[in-house]
Amino acid sequence: MDRLLHIQQQTQLREKINNLPRAPGVYLMKSACGDIIYVGKAINLHARVRSYFSQTPSDGRAFVALLDKVLFDIEVVVVHSEKEALLLENELIKKHQPKYNIRLRDDKTYLSLRVDLRHEFPRIEVVRKTKDDGATYFGPYGSATDIREVLRMIHRYFQLRICTDKALATRKRPCLAYQMGRCPAPCVFEVPVHEYRRNVDAAMLLLEGRSKQLEDFLKGRIKQCSNALKFEEAARLRDQLSALLRSQEKQLVVLEGLDDKDFVGFAQNSHMFSIYVLQLRQGHLVGGRPFCFRQQGVPVEEVLSSFLNLYYASENFIPKQILLPIQLKEDEEALALLLREKKKAKVEIRMPHRGKWLSLLKTAQENAHNNLNEHEQKEEDVEKLLAELQQKLALKKLPRWVECFDVSHFQGNSIVGSKVAAIDGKLDKSLYRRFHLRTVVSNDDFKSLYEVVFRRLKQGKEEGALPDLIVVDGGKGQLSSAMAAARDLQVTDVEWVGLAKSRLLGQALPEEMPQKSEERIFLPGRKEALVLPQSLAELLFLVRLRDEAHRFAVAFQRKSARKQALRTRLDEVWGVGDARKRSLLQHFGSHKCLEKASCAEIAQVAGIGEQLAAKIFNSLHKPKA
């Protein structure tokens, strides 16, 4: 009967595919549960979707081979152009995170430098996102080390201010940077604007990579100062020039022209797909970014097109040229148009055939292969680690999905719980959860753990998403409490481990190393604790997971306690109700900022006068009992 229903459903699906419109749009493939498993775009929806069911021998994609088993329905959204299809595909992938699409798990952008030249005394600040706000941006930089090196040179030799605009307006005495000779302290002293601007112009030349112009500029300034008998100033400029020349020696690659280019290389094997973006900025090779995804058998052109769409839509810098090892065919023109509108300048996507750009593209390809090899090696190491852990703990299955629970409190108050998770040996912060205790009001670790684990397992049972192994921070009592929650919910396909922390053994003299007990593992049905060698990789993995759960719980408990204490102190002030509490938090953005605010700043909040501000300030800063 089930097979008959399956054949009937597949027949209906193929009829639906045959009747799809011959127009641009986005198609969403769905499983029997209604989950979206793949999102794609097409100029011609009818032709693209039909191609997935082609019976030609050349179509050997792994993804296509799975369609008969996993595909239940197809939904399409018709749009007016291929550019609109690209935009919609991007939004739907971010929203639904389909199983068979590539996903940029590292959504954060690399660091950039921002300079607002409209300010009287501009400063260079580090930002993650570039905005269309009239300021000038440099980067992104390949690593925090790179950006620290640039800032160190600028602050040491060009002496630009470090403090924020607020500090510039309110500071009463110069800071340590002035004492170190790295800032002229315009916040306190009368600094000639033209002299400060001269340093800004020199720093801009450095950031733009215009080394020859900066060298000529500094040599001219040295000569001027020498002629004017300003020998100390000339010596400082000489040091700037020496630092510049040294930095040029460290530069790996300098190419003619000041163009910005990205070289996108890729490599793949049967189960992984690697992409490497090599970045050329202002003629300088500044580094690259590696990405690795699970191989789904989707055509390379489709993977690269989807990757570029997601990558440059995530506030990453868009260069003038994007160079690829293959042509994207139908998606290339629409993607270039989309990026052109976002950058507000011409963007070209092309495949070089000769010359230095082809050589750099080959470098990107080599890096993609190296990245793929590194991930393969890591996967082998992880598989070995998990297999050893399974053997040491006598687990029934490989613990690919491991979760760890902990609870935290302060003197019996502000009790909270935490859950952290690791997938294939790697911490996955998207699965972290915090818990406010609902049924426990006093300090009871056993009841607290029972509630936290019960709530987690109940939700997981309803959603059909349970881990392979649960680690509990504690010994026999904590492990028994957690397992009681599983018994009450009739959850039987999860395995359990309790991990008791090592503790100090007695008091050590100041000149002696403190002695600690060993980390102990408690297993269900086993009376004695299991003690593994303390340097064993499998034990260190569990300890790391346990310590992360503890850190996450303590951080949440402190935040909750701070909010509760602040809320209590605000409640003590007559005239401050819920509406004024909301106004205060909306104005300052957080409880921590409100605690740091001065009486005058509190008085600026709508509905808070000077008298009430004074009462609030005094209540927040009264000595603790």
Side-chain angles (χ1 to χ4, degrees):
M1 186 67 180
D2 289 342
R3 179 172 175 77
L4 184 62
L5 288 173
H6 178 73
I7 294 173
Q8 184 179 358
Q9 183 272 329
Q10 289 294 316
T11 303
Q12 293 174 351
L13 180 60
R14 290 180 184 275
E15 288 178 2
K16 184 176 183 178
I17 292 169
N18 289 332
N19 294 323
L20 289 177
R22 302 175 186 273
V26 173
Y27 54 93
L28 298 89
M29 295 183 173
K30 296 183 177 182
S31 67
C33 300
D35 297 330
I36 295 173
I37 58 174
Y38 187 75
V39 174
K41 63 187 176 308
I43 296 177
N44 186 322
L45 286 169
H46 179 83
R48 170 61 66 85
V49 177
R50 275 177 59 88
S51 71
Y52 284 102
F53 299 89
S54 169
Q55 299 300 319
T56 58
S58 61
D59 196 351
R61 294 173 287 171
F63 173 56
V64 174
L66 293 172
L67 286 180
D68 282 342
K69 297 179 180 178
V70 300
L71 182 62
F72 186 81
D73 192 16
I74 292 180
E75 178 184 334
V76 299
V77 181
V78 177
V79 295
H80 294 98
S81 65
E82 190 182 0
K83 185 190 77 173
E84 289 184 17
L86 280 165
L87 285 170
L88 183 57
E89 179 202 35
N90 189 342
E91 292 301 317
L92 291 174
I93 290 175
K94 287 181 178 179
K95 179 180 179 181
H96 299 291
Q97 297 284 295
K99 181 178 180 180
Y100 294 110
N101 283 95
I102 66 167
R103 288 177 280 179
L104 299 185
R105 293 190 179 275
D106 183 14
D107 290 331
K108 67 181 182 182
T109 56
Y110 275 23
L111 298 171
S112 299
L113 294 177
R114 178 184 182 273
V115 185
D116 190 351
L117 297 174
R118 297 166 298 180
H119 199 284
E120 186 178 22
F121 296 103
R123 75 182 183 110
I124 298 176
E125 56 183 319
V126 180
V127 297
R128 282 204 179 274
K129 291 187 177 181
T130 59
K131 300 177 182 177
D132 187 13
D133 56 1
T136 303
Y137 291 88
F138 299 94
Y141 288 84
S143 70
T145 302
D146 296 337
I147 211 164
R148 277 198 300 266
E149 178 67 21
V150 172
L151 288 174
R152 185 195 64 80
M153 184 181 296
I154 288 173
H155 291 146
R156 182 173 181 179
Y157 296 110
F158 299 106
Q159 299 184 352
L160 303 186
R161 70 180 175 96
I162 302 172
C163 58
T164 63
D165 293 346
K166 182 178 179 180
L168 179 69
T170 59
R171 192 181 292 278
K172 303 300 181 183
R173 53 188 292 183
C175 65
L176 185 61
Y178 171 77
Q179 305 294 339
M180 296 171 65
R182 298 194 174 188
C183 177
C187 53
V188 177
F189 302 117
E190 292 290 336
V191 177
V193 175
H194 70 279
E195 288 186 11
Y196 188 91
R197 280 285 177 170
R198 198 155 48 196
N199 287 342
V200 172
D201 293 340
M204 293 287 284
L205 289 173
L206 176 66
L207 292 172
E208 289 170 358
R210 297 162 65 181
S211 303
K212 187 64 175 68
Q213 292 93 322
L214 179 55
E215 184 179 345
D216 294 341
F217 172 81
L218 292 176
K219 285 180 178 178
R221 289 279 296 125
I222 292 171
K223 188 174 182 180
Q224 288 176 5
C225 291
S226 299
N227 293 337
L229 305 182
K230 297 180 179 178
F231 298 117
E232 289 185 2
E233 178 69 12
R236 189 177 64 80
L237 292 167
R238 179 203 61 205
D239 292 341
Q240 288 184 9
L241 180 58
S242 299
L244 170 68
L245 296 175
R246 286 197 301 272
S247 70
Q248 284 181 314
E249 291 174 3
K250 292 179 183 178
Q251 180 65 49
L252 296 177
V253 180
V254 181
L255 300 170
E256 298 83 0
L258 296 175
D259 287 343
D260 297 322
K261 293 180 172 63
D262 277 353
F263 301 85
V264 182
F266 74 90
Q268 60 180 329
N269 57 23
S270 60
H271 59 284
M272 297 192 79
F273 195 100
S274 170
I275 293 178
Y276 193 89
V277 182
L278 191 66
Q279 299 163 336
L280 188 77
R281 300 290 180 262
Q282 302 291 328
H284 294 254
L285 198 59
V286 299
R289 294 185 67 177
F291 299 87
C292 215
F293 314 100
R294 286 287 177 188
Q295 175 67 275
Q296 305 295 356
V298 179
V300 173
E301 297 88 350
E302 207 167 313
V303 174
L304 284 179
S305 175
S306 185
F307 169 80
L308 295 175
N309 190 10
L310 290 166
Y311 178 75
Y312 291 112
S314 302
E315 301 299 334
N316 285 303
F317 177 80
I318 303 174
K320 290 183 179 179
Q321 284 190 335
I322 301 169
L323 301 160
L324 306 176
I326 60 171
Q327 289 186 327
L328 297 183
K329 300 178 182 178
E330 60 184 36
D331 296 335
E332 196 168 287
E333 186 177 343
L335 186 59
L337 177 63
L338 189 66
L339 297 179
R340 189 180 307 145
E341 291 184 0
K342 184 174 174 61
K343 185 177 176 65
K344 298 181 180 177
K346 184 179 179 181
V347 177
E348 184 182 5
I349 300 175
R350 66 185 184 89
M351 181 178 72
H353 296 283
R354 63 178 68 87
K356 58 189 177 186
W357 305 138
L358 179 60
S359 176
L360 283 176
L361 186 58
K362 288 180 179 178
T363 301
Q365 289 281 87
E366 290 173 7
N367 279 283
H369 280 286
N370 291 337
N371 183 43
L372 187 65
N373 292 336
E374 286 178 11
H375 275 77
E376 282 185 324
Q377 183 61 49
K378 287 180 182 177
E379 278 207 334
E380 290 177 7
D381 293 342
V382 168
E383 290 292 324
K384 183 179 178 181
L385 171 72
L386 297 180
E388 289 289 337
L389 186 62
Q390 180 185 11
Q391 187 266 327
K392 293 285 191 309
L393 302 183
L395 303 176
K396 296 176 182 176
K397 56 183 176 181
L398 206 64
R400 294 194 174 279
W401 181 356
V402 186
E403 293 184 352
C404 184
F405 292 85
D406 190 19
V407 293
S408 180
H409 63 88
F410 179 71
Q411 297 179 351
N413 298 315
S414 302
I415 307 171
V416 299
S418 72
K419 182 200 81 172
V420 300
I423 303 295
D424 288 335
K426 184 178 180 181
L427 294 175
D428 188 342
K429 293 190 176 182
S430 67
L431 296 175
Y432 284 24
R433 294 295 182 270
R434 300 164 174 171
F435 300 87
H436 277 295
L437 275 294
R438 298 170 182 168
T439 62
V440 181
V441 293
S442 60
N443 179 19
D444 190 326
D445 282 356
F446 301 147
K447 290 182 179 179
S448 300
L449 266 174
Y450 176 89
E451 180 186 330
V452 170
V453 174
F454 185 92
R455 286 163 58 184
R456 162 66 184 105
L457 294 180
K458 182 180 180 183
Q459 182 184 11
K461 187 177 180 181
E462 292 171 353
E463 297 175 353
L466 291 170
D468 301 317
L469 175 66
I470 288 181
V471 180
V472 177
D473 182 7
K476 287 184 180 179
Q478 287 83 354
L479 181 60
S480 298
S481 298
M483 293 180 65
R487 283 195 300 271
D488 292 344
L489 287 167
Q490 296 182 346
V491 173
T492 58
D493 53 350
V494 175
E495 298 189 85
W496 301 85
V497 166
L499 184 59
K501 296 184 181 72
S502 62
R503 299 188 182 278
L504 290 175
L505 299 175
Q507 293 292 329
L509 296 174
E511 65 274 10
E512 294 179 342
M513 288 292 291
Q515 298 296 315
K516 290 185 176 182
S517 66
E518 297 173 313
E519 299 275 357
R520 293 165 298 151
I521 297 175
F522 291 90
L523 300 173
R526 178 168 173 159
K527 185 177 179 180
E528 298 297 328
L530 173 65
V531 179
L532 297 176
Q534 300 299 287
S535 60
L536 198 67
E538 299 87 83
L539 177 63
L540 294 177
F541 167 68
L542 294 178
V543 169
R544 182 190 175 202
L545 199 63
R546 189 270 316 282
D547 290 347
E548 176 70 358
H550 182 69
R551 179 202 65 80
F552 195 52
V554 169
F556 183 43
Q557 184 275 322
R558 288 175 178 170
K559 184 177 180 181
S560 300
R562 190 185 304 118
K563 286 184 178 180
Q564 182 60 39
L566 180 60
R567 192 178 297 116
T568 301
R569 294 195 173 194
L570 287 177
D571 288 336
E572 295 173 357
V573 182
W574 188 87
V576 177
D578 291 339
R580 280 178 171 157
K581 284 181 192 175
R582 283 195 297 271
S583 296
L584 286 166
L585 291 177
Q586 286 172 357
H587 180 85
F588 291 103
S590 70
H591 293 81
K592 192 173 182 179
C593 291
L594 174 56
E595 286 182 292
K596 292 181 178 180
S598 66
C599 188
E601 290 172 334
I602 296 174
Q604 294 175 3
V605 179
I608 308 290
E610 292 184 3
Q611 290 184 349
L612 185 56
K615 292 180 181 179
I616 293 172
F617 182 84
N618 292 334
S619 178
L620 294 179
H621 295 85
K622 70 179 182 181
K624 295 181 180 179

